[in-house]
Amino acid sequence: MSLLAEMNQRALELGVPLSVQLDITYRCNERCVHCYLDHDDHGEMSVVEIKNVLMQLADAGVFFLTLSGGEVLMRRDFFDIVEFARRLQFNVKVKTNGVMIREAEAKRIRDLGVEQVQISVYSHRPEVHDAITKLPGSLRRTVEAIRFLRSKGLKVTIANVLLSANLRDYPGVIALAQELGVAYTLDPTITPKIDGDRSILQWRAEASVLGDLFHDPALVGDAEKFCAPPPPPDADVMEGYPCSAGHTSCYISPYGDVFPCVQFPLPSGNVRRQKFLEIWRHSAQLETVRSIRARDLTTCAACAHVGTCTRCPGLAYMEGSMLGPSTADCEKSFQRTGIPTANMLRRSSHATGGPLIQIQPAELPSVDAC
């Protein structure tokens, strides 16, 4: 077991929030077409409030701290916040679009001991990237920021969100990451807006494209192994947790609202009105999240993919039930393996007027190839 896995397991056993993402603002200098946030400031926490929260997080045992937004550098006190967080010995990761980072900012980030910087790049082509961010010149400025950060010896990861507008550009972004000497991640997840508006889901990539991605060795390594059929779930799988949200991690908004995860908008408390540890230990919402096991999931508990699916309970919650399936993740499982999920079969049966199909674990198909 790796050290990180051991830390996670120990945190789970002790009920410790090992990692927290804190968005310090929703304000942003870009207007990305797929963004789920409201960029107006509705009274974000002051630097004094944020420092108070950071002290509470340190007392609670948080080790990994991700500072994000919005665009973090829209706050003039951003470096004060980072400096205070490092003084408390947090392992700090920063998410940014990089547009406001020049050599001086890169040096300050390095000097403060930030562990990693994640920067969004949507395409290697300026006309595509800039059309997505709605900020002319943003790709040029973002790439310059990456070069500044690398020149200071910082670890940088390019985060490439897959959209219908940049479907075939990921090989070019991979090549750009290699040229710049940075890590690369691709994420096909598009979520509804934070207020529930689902209109931005129009930017989701077509499902058929995912099949190509899951068979691309440049992204997944051993595609045959990655696309292999799921093994029948055992007792450990059925007693397992859907994900770490609310178990060893959580999310705090610029307004002090606490949620299980940034993609799981279940209001669970507010640090302006309660101490963080009180929320973490006693929130009824978090207790509900923690009570859920794979065996409790409607439809998914009887699915062949229950042990290997990337099902996000937050996306399921936004679809109507945290116990239900996430159709986006169902599609990923199907495109990866070629095996329909229980939810897909159920929906197909409803659409054709046939009987409801229930797949029991004992009836899971045995398939030898992807």
Side-chain angles (χ1 to χ4, degrees), residues 271-286:
V271 292
R272 280 175 157 167
R273 296 188 292 271
Q274 300 165 273
K275 295 295 185 182
F276 174 77
L277 262 181
E278 179 185 340
I279 297 170
W280 179 257
R281 291 174 176 170
H282 305 298
S283 163
Q285 292 81 7
L286 292 180

PDB file of all heavy atoms in Angstrom, residues 271-286:
ATOM      1  N   VAL A 271     -19.459  27.634   7.892  1.00  0.00           N
ATOM      2  CA  VAL A 271     -18.425  27.947   8.891  1.00  0.00           C
ATOM      3  C   VAL A 271     -18.546  29.369   9.433  1.00  0.00           C
ATOM      4  O   VAL A 271     -17.829  29.726  10.378  1.00  0.00           O
ATOM      5  CB  VAL A 271     -17.012  27.726   8.308  1.00  0.00           C
ATOM      6  CG1 VAL A 271     -16.762  26.240   8.046  1.00  0.00           C
ATOM      7  CG2 VAL A 271     -16.801  28.546   7.035  1.00  0.00           C
ATOM      8  N   ARG A 272     -19.421  30.173   8.885  1.00  0.00           N
ATOM      9  CA  ARG A 272     -19.680  31.488   9.467  1.00  0.00           C
ATOM     10  C   ARG A 272     -20.605  31.383  10.678  1.00  0.00           C
ATOM     11  O   ARG A 272     -20.663  32.294  11.499  1.00  0.00           O
ATOM     12  CB  ARG A 272     -20.297  32.409   8.409  1.00  0.00           C
ATOM     13  CG  ARG A 272     -19.277  33.002   7.454  1.00  0.00           C
ATOM     14  CD  ARG A 272     -19.941  33.804   6.359  1.00  0.00           C
ATOM     15  NE  ARG A 272     -19.014  34.784   5.792  1.00  0.00           N
ATOM     16  CZ  ARG A 272     -19.229  35.449   4.655  1.00  0.00           C
ATOM     17  NH1 ARG A 272     -20.338  35.226   3.964  1.00  0.00           N
ATOM     18  NH2 ARG A 272     -18.353  36.320   4.219  1.00  0.00           N
ATOM     19  N   ARG A 273     -21.322  30.265  10.748  1.00  0.00           N
ATOM     20  CA  ARG A 273     -22.285  30.093  11.844  1.00  0.00           C
ATOM     21  C   ARG A 273     -21.906  28.968  12.801  1.00  0.00           C
ATOM     22  O   ARG A 273     -22.395  28.918  13.923  1.00  0.00           O
ATOM     23  CB  ARG A 273     -23.672  29.820  11.256  1.00  0.00           C
ATOM     24  CG  ARG A 273     -24.235  30.977  10.438  1.00  0.00           C
ATOM     25  CD  ARG A 273     -25.668  30.727  10.040  1.00  0.00           C
ATOM     26  NE  ARG A 273     -25.794  29.631   9.091  1.00  0.00           N
ATOM     27  CZ  ARG A 273     -25.732  29.785   7.767  1.00  0.00           C
ATOM     28  NH1 ARG A 273     -25.515  30.986   7.244  1.00  0.00           N
ATOM     29  NH2 ARG A 273     -25.865  28.745   6.959  1.00  0.00           N
ATOM     30  N   GLN A 274     -21.053  28.056  12.347  1.00  0.00           N
ATOM     31  CA  GLN A 274     -20.664  26.906  13.165  1.00  0.00           C
ATOM     32  C   GLN A 274     -19.169  26.660  13.025  1.00  0.00           C
ATOM     33  O   GLN A 274     -18.549  27.040  12.017  1.00  0.00           O
ATOM     34  CB  GLN A 274     -21.397  25.640  12.693  1.00  0.00           C
ATOM     35  CG  GLN A 274     -22.906  25.691  12.747  1.00  0.00           C
ATOM     36  CD  GLN A 274     -23.510  24.559  11.932  1.00  0.00           C
ATOM     37  OE1 GLN A 274     -23.720  24.682  10.733  1.00  0.00           O
ATOM     38  NE2 GLN A 274     -23.776  23.439  12.596  1.00  0.00           N
ATOM     39  N   LYS A 275     -18.597  26.002  13.995  1.00  0.00           N
ATOM     40  CA  LYS A 275     -17.219  25.571  13.890  1.00  0.00           C
ATOM     41  C   LYS A 275     -17.121  24.435  12.869  1.00  0.00           C
ATOM     42  O   LYS A 275     -18.031  23.606  12.750  1.00  0.00           O
ATOM     43  CB  LYS A 275     -16.696  25.085  15.245  1.00  0.00           C
ATOM     44  CG  LYS A 275     -16.620  26.173  16.306  1.00  0.00           C
ATOM     45  CD  LYS A 275     -15.596  27.240  15.944  1.00  0.00           C
ATOM     46  CE  LYS A 275     -15.434  28.256  17.061  1.00  0.00           C
ATOM     47  NZ  LYS A 275     -14.479  29.331  16.702  1.00  0.00           N
ATOM     48  N   PHE A 276     -16.003  24.402  12.156  1.00  0.00           N
ATOM     49  CA  PHE A 276     -15.859  23.380  11.127  1.00  0.00           C
ATOM     50  C   PHE A 276     -15.990  21.971  11.701  1.00  0.00           C
ATOM     51  O   PHE A 276     -16.678  21.117  11.127  1.00  0.00           O
ATOM     52  CB  PHE A 276     -14.509  23.519  10.410  1.00  0.00           C
ATOM     53  CG  PHE A 276     -14.251  22.394   9.444  1.00  0.00           C
ATOM     54  CD1 PHE A 276     -14.878  22.359   8.210  1.00  0.00           C
ATOM     55  CD2 PHE A 276     -13.402  21.344   9.785  1.00  0.00           C
ATOM     56  CE1 PHE A 276     -14.664  21.303   7.329  1.00  0.00           C
ATOM     57  CE2 PHE A 276     -13.181  20.288   8.916  1.00  0.00           C
ATOM     58  CZ  PHE A 276     -13.812  20.270   7.683  1.00  0.00           C
ATOM     59  N   LEU A 277     -15.329  21.710  12.828  1.00  0.00           N
ATOM     60  CA  LEU A 277     -15.382  20.366  13.399  1.00  0.00           C
ATOM     61  C   LEU A 277     -16.795  19.970  13.810  1.00  0.00           C
ATOM     62  O   LEU A 277     -17.179  18.802  13.725  1.00  0.00           O
ATOM     63  CB  LEU A 277     -14.442  20.261  14.605  1.00  0.00           C
ATOM     64  CG  LEU A 277     -13.070  19.638  14.330  1.00  0.00           C
ATOM     65  CD1 LEU A 277     -12.247  19.575  15.596  1.00  0.00           C
ATOM     66  CD2 LEU A 277     -13.202  18.255  13.694  1.00  0.00           C
ATOM     67  N   GLU A 278     -17.584  20.946  14.250  1.00  0.00           N
ATOM     68  CA  GLU A 278     -18.976  20.652  14.608  1.00  0.00           C
ATOM     69  C   GLU A 278     -19.735  20.192  13.370  1.00  0.00           C
ATOM     70  O   GLU A 278     -20.529  19.241  13.427  1.00  0.00           O
ATOM     71  CB  GLU A 278     -19.634  21.896  15.205  1.00  0.00           C
ATOM     72  CG  GLU A 278     -21.094  21.698  15.601  1.00  0.00           C
ATOM     73  CD  GLU A 278     -21.754  22.974  16.081  1.00  0.00           C
ATOM     74  OE1 GLU A 278     -21.023  23.913  16.460  1.00  0.00           O
ATOM     75  OE2 GLU A 278     -22.996  23.033  16.067  1.00  0.00           O
ATOM     76  N   ILE A 279     -19.492  20.873  12.256  1.00  0.00           N
ATOM     77  CA  ILE A 279     -20.142  20.485  11.006  1.00  0.00           C
ATOM     78  C   ILE A 279     -19.644  19.113  10.561  1.00  0.00           C
ATOM     79  O   ILE A 279     -20.440  18.223  10.225  1.00  0.00           O
ATOM     80  CB  ILE A 279     -19.865  21.536   9.911  1.00  0.00           C
ATOM     81  CG1 ILE A 279     -20.459  22.884  10.296  1.00  0.00           C
ATOM     82  CG2 ILE A 279     -20.413  21.066   8.562  1.00  0.00           C
ATOM     83  CD1 ILE A 279     -20.029  24.039   9.400  1.00  0.00           C
ATOM     84  N   TRP A 280     -18.341  18.936  10.572  1.00  0.00           N
ATOM     85  CA  TRP A 280     -17.751  17.684  10.083  1.00  0.00           C
ATOM     86  C   TRP A 280     -18.244  16.483  10.884  1.00  0.00           C
ATOM     87  O   TRP A 280     -18.561  15.437  10.319  1.00  0.00           O
ATOM     88  CB  TRP A 280     -16.229  17.773  10.141  1.00  0.00           C
ATOM     89  CG  TRP A 280     -15.547  16.513   9.676  1.00  0.00           C
ATOM     90  CD1 TRP A 280     -14.980  15.549  10.451  1.00  0.00           C
ATOM     91  CD2 TRP A 280     -15.406  16.084   8.321  1.00  0.00           C
ATOM     92  NE1 TRP A 280     -14.480  14.545   9.667  1.00  0.00           N
ATOM     93  CE2 TRP A 280     -14.720  14.843   8.352  1.00  0.00           C
ATOM     94  CE3 TRP A 280     -15.772  16.620   7.085  1.00  0.00           C
ATOM     95  CZ2 TRP A 280     -14.403  14.134   7.199  1.00  0.00           C
ATOM     96  CZ3 TRP A 280     -15.459  15.911   5.935  1.00  0.00           C
ATOM     97  CH2 TRP A 280     -14.789  14.697   5.990  1.00  0.00           C
ATOM     98  N   ARG A 281     -18.347  16.647  12.186  1.00  0.00           N
ATOM     99  CA  ARG A 281     -18.702  15.513  13.033  1.00  0.00           C
ATOM    100  C   ARG A 281     -20.197  15.308  13.211  1.00  0.00           C
ATOM    101  O   ARG A 281     -20.643  14.172  13.441  1.00  0.00           O
ATOM    102  CB  ARG A 281     -18.062  15.684  14.420  1.00  0.00           C
ATOM    103  CG  ARG A 281     -16.548  15.547  14.414  1.00  0.00           C
ATOM    104  CD  ARG A 281     -15.969  15.869  15.785  1.00  0.00           C
ATOM    105  NE  ARG A 281     -14.524  15.647  15.842  1.00  0.00           N
ATOM    106  CZ  ARG A 281     -13.730  16.018  16.845  1.00  0.00           C
ATOM    107  NH1 ARG A 281     -14.270  16.648  17.894  1.00  0.00           N
ATOM    108  NH2 ARG A 281     -12.451  15.776  16.812  1.00  0.00           N
ATOM    109  N   HIS A 282     -20.993  16.376  13.107  1.00  0.00           N
ATOM    110  CA  HIS A 282     -22.389  16.260  13.504  1.00  0.00           C
ATOM    111  C   HIS A 282     -23.408  16.682  12.435  1.00  0.00           C
ATOM    112  O   HIS A 282     -24.615  16.610  12.715  1.00  0.00           O
ATOM    113  CB  HIS A 282     -22.633  17.082  14.776  1.00  0.00           C
ATOM    114  CG  HIS A 282     -21.721  16.714  15.907  1.00  0.00           C
ATOM    115  ND1 HIS A 282     -21.723  15.461  16.470  1.00  0.00           N
ATOM    116  CD2 HIS A 282     -20.770  17.427  16.563  1.00  0.00           C
ATOM    117  CE1 HIS A 282     -20.819  15.411  17.436  1.00  0.00           C
ATOM    118  NE2 HIS A 282     -20.228  16.588  17.512  1.00  0.00           N
ATOM    119  N   SER A 283     -22.976  17.117  11.280  1.00  0.00           N
ATOM    120  CA  SER A 283     -23.937  17.498  10.247  1.00  0.00           C
ATOM    121  C   SER A 283     -24.811  16.306   9.863  1.00  0.00           C
ATOM    122  O   SER A 283     -24.304  15.223   9.531  1.00  0.00           O
ATOM    123  CB  SER A 283     -23.193  17.999   8.999  1.00  0.00           C
ATOM    124  OG  SER A 283     -24.041  18.009   7.869  1.00  0.00           O
ATOM    125  N   ALA A 284     -26.115  16.503   9.898  1.00  0.00           N
ATOM    126  CA  ALA A 284     -27.047  15.427   9.528  1.00  0.00           C
ATOM    127  C   ALA A 284     -26.842  15.011   8.077  1.00  0.00           C
ATOM    128  O   ALA A 284     -26.963  13.823   7.731  1.00  0.00           O
ATOM    129  CB  ALA A 284     -28.488  15.888   9.754  1.00  0.00           C
ATOM    130  N   GLN A 285     -26.538  15.996   7.226  1.00  0.00           N
ATOM    131  CA  GLN A 285     -26.340  15.692   5.807  1.00  0.00           C
ATOM    132  C   GLN A 285     -25.096  14.834   5.601  1.00  0.00           C
ATOM    133  O   GLN A 285     -25.119  13.851   4.851  1.00  0.00           O
ATOM    134  CB  GLN A 285     -26.226  16.997   5.010  1.00  0.00           C
ATOM    135  CG  GLN A 285     -27.504  17.816   4.947  1.00  0.00           C
ATOM    136  CD  GLN A 285     -27.728  18.656   6.194  1.00  0.00           C
ATOM    137  OE1 GLN A 285     -26.859  18.747   7.079  1.00  0.00           O
ATOM    138  NE2 GLN A 285     -28.889  19.289   6.289  1.00  0.00           N
ATOM    139  N   LEU A 286     -23.997  15.198   6.267  1.00  0.00           N
ATOM    140  CA  LEU A 286     -22.775  14.405   6.127  1.00  0.00           C
ATOM    141  C   LEU A 286     -22.941  13.023   6.736  1.00  0.00           C
ATOM    142  O   LEU A 286     -22.400  12.033   6.217  1.00  0.00           O
ATOM    143  CB  LEU A 286     -21.591  15.133   6.771  1.00  0.00           C
ATOM    144  CG  LEU A 286     -21.131  16.421   6.078  1.00  0.00           C
ATOM    145  CD1 LEU A 286     -19.943  17.034   6.821  1.00  0.00           C
ATOM    146  CD2 LEU A 286     -20.762  16.161   4.619  1.00  0.00           C
TER     147      LEU A 286
END
